[in-house]
Amino acid sequence: MSGIELKNVTKRYKENKFEITALENVSVQVKAGEFVAIVGPSGSGKSTFLSIAGALLKPTEGSIMINNQNITDFDEKQLSSVRLNQIGFILQTANLIPYLTVLDQLLIVKKMQGTVTKEDKAFALELLKDLGLENKEKKYPNECSGGERQRVAIARSFMNDPDIILADEPTSSLDTDRGHEVVQQMAEQVKTRNKAAIMVTHDERMLSYCDRVYRIVDGKLSEEVRTQEV
Amino acid sequence: MGLALKELLYSKGRFIMIGLIIVLISWLVFILSGLGTGLSTLSTGVLSEAEYSGIVLEEGSEFSLSKSSVNRSLTEKVSEQEGVTDTTPMSIFRNSVRKEGAEDAEDKITDIVLIGLEPDSFMEPNIIKGEAWSNSDENQVIADESLENDGYKIGDTVVLDNTDKELTIVGFTENKTLYHQSALYLPMENFQNLRPSSPDDADVEETVSGIVVQGTDVNLETFLEDEENVEYGTKEETIEGIPGYVAENATIMLMLWFLMIISAFILGVFFYVLTNQKTNQFGVLKAIGGSNGFIIRSVISQVFILSLVSILVGIGLTYLTVLALPESMPFYLESNMVIIYSLVLLAISVLSSLFSVAKITKIDPLTALGRAE
């Protein structure tokens, strides 16, 4: 199965003498072509969930499978390589590199893998075009609007042709219209490019684009039963 | 490399400021080095600018030509020793001169060092103006150009103090000073006539300060065993034997290396602050899969480019400064010293950026998930 699977994942933090359980026995499976949302209030464990799914943090218990490969016991170097080759991150407030043009933001991913070929450049331009960013490729992040920046971040997350797309509150800095636009385009890309995508959000308006919705409260995950398909 | 260069060009203002610091430091290093070498050339030029292996001197002279006198007849014997390719007797004598016809006290008296050499020997100075000795009858001298700055010209006749003997300047050479005094070179034959001597000193004609030796792997052991009252000093020892040279040189070197060490810390702190400011960016790069190696390479190549350009600008400024320095100020910058100090400065700035490297490896990619800005 290509996709991502978390099995019985628990994460505990030690804070002073108290132990805080950020995630408790969480299991979730996302297949290629699925767009899943995780919704919850702040402090519910969303970020911890995303960090573990994104190979940034190790769980206390449980295991993570990416494309049927168990990455639970990988060291920092292997995790870095998993992030580079198999995961596309869309970070909150885009988090673009300020001194790179829109096109270079995408190509840097290829550069970190080794070299940038002509095909990579063509692919980057195609992604930018798909996301409505043609003619913006020479602009710097500070010359782009918030929505444009977030779309650049989406394009960047697809650049390494990952199997998993993880989005951390992609709409948090956008107004409703821009938010819809961005999530809609993200959903489109996930479908056309057949990726397994997880979006962490607290923005209820965006859930209609997702195939499944999970609620997370105090570290416990539960799937929302939807009354109506969109 | 691409990332490093792109950031340099994008954040010009910030990097120009750091570059400026490196420019100023390298400028100061080169100026100080040039002044230091200039000063030591003033003290040692006659010896340090000549090519020789060592000098046979009188025993107990502490490798100082001015304290030594040996018999020139030893020259032949020295020539026969292992490794010796050429020899020449050399005499020095400190005195002062004034211009002809200006005997009143008002006129300037210049301290000089008279140097007696065999014509056409390897110690003979190169001529930059005028010509070499042509007629040994006329007490012709080749003077260091510092005398020209004091107002002496080719064709001028100078009077040697106390002896009232006259010398005519026929040519000028460069960087030939000893004991901070200008050198006046003249043929050995004439030199011996000028030297004040006591009448009972029978072989004054035969006495010279030392015998300069040229060669490779010179081995004078058997010669030194046979002869009494002589010793052999290498080029280095004879230069260090010049009174005041060691102390003078140590002062300059101490300043120079202190400057280097201080600059290492200043630059280290600068790069560290710069890296600190970019923690979030590096976090993002790490989160999307950038390895430590990728980021560190990028940071170091950035420091390298910045330092290289700044040092080159520093070198340019130094040579411009030289044009503006007054003639009387001794400044002597050897290009191999420029290369050595440039490499040292480059190494210092790259090494000082290693503080930041330690920091980079500790950056947690999780920072990228944090509420940035």
Side-chain angles (χ1 to χ4, degrees), chain B residues 95-221:
Chain B
N95 206 325
S96 49
V97 293
R98 58 191 146 76
K99 273 190 192 160
E100 185 196 21
E103 271 129 62
D104 44 17
E106 271 176 47
D107 207 64
K108 200 171 148 193
I109 295 183
T110 310
D111 284 319
I112 48 94
V113 179
L114 276 181
I115 296 177
L117 286 175
E118 293 294 346
D120 300 324
S121 76
F122 61 85
M123 290 297 279
E124 204 180 307
N126 58 318
I127 308 290
I128 56 162
K129 216 182 254 180
E131 49 201 67
W133 314 302
S134 50
N135 187 343
S136 53
D137 294 338
E138 284 180 46
N139 278 353
Q140 293 174 335
V141 294
I142 301 168
D144 182 69
E145 61 175 340
S146 53
L147 275 182
E148 194 178 18
N149 299 331
D150 283 343
Y152 295 91
K153 291 185 295 292
I154 287 175
D156 275 3
T157 300
V158 294
V159 181
L160 208 54
D161 219 26
N162 302 330
T163 64
D164 289 334
K165 296 216 165 108
E166 293 184 353
L167 305 169
T168 309
I169 299 173
V170 291
F172 282 109
T173 179
E174 58 179 347
N175 299 327
K176 297 295 188 300
T177 44
L178 197 61
Y179 315 126
H180 297 131
Q181 292 165 6
S182 312
L184 283 182
Y185 286 84
L186 68 167
M188 188 62 96
E189 199 183 320
N190 300 336
F191 181 91
Q192 303 294 32
N193 297 333
L194 292 175
R195 178 141 67 175
S197 56
S198 41
D200 55 321
D201 201 350
D203 54 8
V204 65
E205 293 281 317
E206 291 305 308
T207 302
V208 295
S209 301
I211 295 159
V212 189
V213 177
Q214 217 178 25
T216 44
D217 303 323
V218 174
N219 183 357
L220 294 183
E221 255 173 57

Side-chain angles (χ1 to χ4, degrees), chain A residues 51 83 92 95 108 112 142, chain B residues 3 10 286 366 368-369 371:
Chain A
S51 306
R83 291 199 297 270
Q92 195 177 169
N95 270 332
I108 182 91
M112 291 191 299
N142 63 355
Chain B
L3 197 66
Y10 184 80
K286 279 190 176 189
L366 268 178
L369 285 186
R371 307 297 174 255

Side-chain angles (χ1 to χ4, degrees), chain B residues 43-309:
Chain B
S43 149
T44 66
V46 166
L47 295 182
S48 60
E49 293 298 302
E51 278 187 29
Y52 67 96
S53 309
I55 308 178
V56 174
L57 297 157
E58 184 183 355
E59 192 157 35
S61 63
E62 295 168 321
F63 304 130
S64 171
L65 270 173
S66 58
K67 293 182 210 158
S68 159
S69 59
V70 296
N71 196 300
R72 70 186 288 179
S73 61
L74 290 175
T75 311
E76 245 168 77
K77 217 169 164 190
V78 174
S79 308
E80 289 159 7
Q81 302 304 311
E82 196 184 328
V84 177
T85 53
D86 205 354
T87 54
T88 180
M90 175 173 170
S91 280
I92 71 163
F93 169 49
R94 296 162 81 164
N95 206 325
S96 49
V97 293
R98 58 191 146 76
K99 273 190 192 160
E100 185 196 21
E103 271 129 62
D104 44 17
E106 271 176 47
D107 207 64
K108 200 171 148 193
I109 295 183
T110 310
D111 284 319
I112 48 94
V113 179
L114 276 181
I115 296 177
L117 286 175
E118 293 294 346
D120 300 324
S121 76
F122 61 85
M123 290 297 279
E124 204 180 307
N126 58 318
I127 308 290
I128 56 162
K129 216 182 254 180
E131 49 201 67
W133 314 302
S134 50
N135 187 343
S136 53
D137 294 338
E138 284 180 46
N139 278 353
Q140 293 174 335
V141 294
I142 301 168
D144 182 69
E145 61 175 340
S146 53
L147 275 182
E148 194 178 18
N149 299 331
D150 283 343
Y152 295 91
K153 291 185 295 292
I154 287 175
D156 275 3
T157 300
V158 294
V159 181
L160 208 54
D161 219 26
N162 302 330
T163 64
D164 289 334
K165 296 216 165 108
E166 293 184 353
L167 305 169
T168 309
I169 299 173
V170 291
F172 282 109
T173 179
E174 58 179 347
N175 299 327
K176 297 295 188 300
T177 44
L178 197 61
Y179 315 126
H180 297 131
Q181 292 165 6
S182 312
L184 283 182
Y185 286 84
L186 68 167
M188 188 62 96
E189 199 183 320
N190 300 336
F191 181 91
Q192 303 294 32
N193 297 333
L194 292 175
R195 178 141 67 175
S197 56
S198 41
D200 55 321
D201 201 350
D203 54 8
V204 65
E205 293 281 317
E206 291 305 308
T207 302
V208 295
S209 301
I211 295 159
V212 189
V213 177
Q214 217 178 25
T216 44
D217 303 323
V218 174
N219 183 357
L220 294 183
E221 255 173 57
T222 43
F223 167 77
L224 293 174
E225 271 168 30
D226 287 356
E227 292 295 327
E228 277 174 30
N229 300 327
V230 289
E231 62 184 3
Y232 176 73
T234 61
K235 180 172 181 181
E236 209 166 88
E237 285 168 335
T238 52
I239 289 173
E240 281 172 3
I242 292 169
Y245 167 75
V246 173
E248 205 174 83
N249 206 38
T251 310
I252 300 277
M253 286 320 254
L254 188 76
M255 285 201 279
L256 209 57
W257 288 106
F258 249 106
L259 178 65
M260 298 267 200
I261 292 167
I262 292 169
S263 61
F265 281 102
I266 294 175
L267 294 176
V269 168
F270 262 105
F271 294 137
Y272 188 77
V273 170
L274 204 63
T275 307
N276 254 347
Q277 285 178 336
K278 295 196 288 188
T279 304
N280 190 52
Q281 270 174 40
F282 292 144
V284 172
L285 286 175
K286 279 190 176 189
I288 61 175
S291 62
N292 279 327
F294 178 83
I295 298 168
I296 290 167
R297 270 200 303 281
S298 162
V299 167
I300 290 190
S301 59
Q302 195 169 57
V303 169
F304 186 84
I305 298 168
L306 185 67
S307 311
L308 189 68
V309 172

Side-chain angles (χ1 to χ4, degrees), chain A residues 47 50-51 54 56-57 76 80-81 83-84 87 89 91-100 104-105 108-109 111-112 140 142 156 160 168-169, chain B residues 1-4 6-8 10-11 278 280-282 284-292 294 298 302 364-373:
Chain A
S47 285
L50 201 73
S51 306
L56 289 168
L57 202 61
E76 183 44 50
S80 171
S81 158
R83 291 199 297 270
L84 182 57
I87 296 175
F89 253 116
L91 300 165
Q92 195 177 169
T93 66
N95 270 332
L96 301 176
I97 308 297
Y99 49 85
L100 293 181
D104 285 335
Q105 301 282 348
I108 182 91
V109 176
K111 201 155 217 174
M112 291 191 299
Y140 287 98
N142 63 355
R156 181 175 69 182
N160 55 348
D168 181 23
E169 307 259 15
Chain B
M1 200 73 154
L3 197 66
K6 275 169 187 154
E7 189 185 5
L8 279 177
Y10 184 80
S11 316
K278 295 196 288 188
N280 190 52
Q281 270 174 40
F282 292 144
V284 172
L285 286 175
K286 279 190 176 189
I288 61 175
S291 62
N292 279 327
F294 178 83
S298 162
Q302 195 169 57
D364 193 333
L366 268 178
T367 52
L369 285 186
R371 307 297 174 255
E373 269 94 20

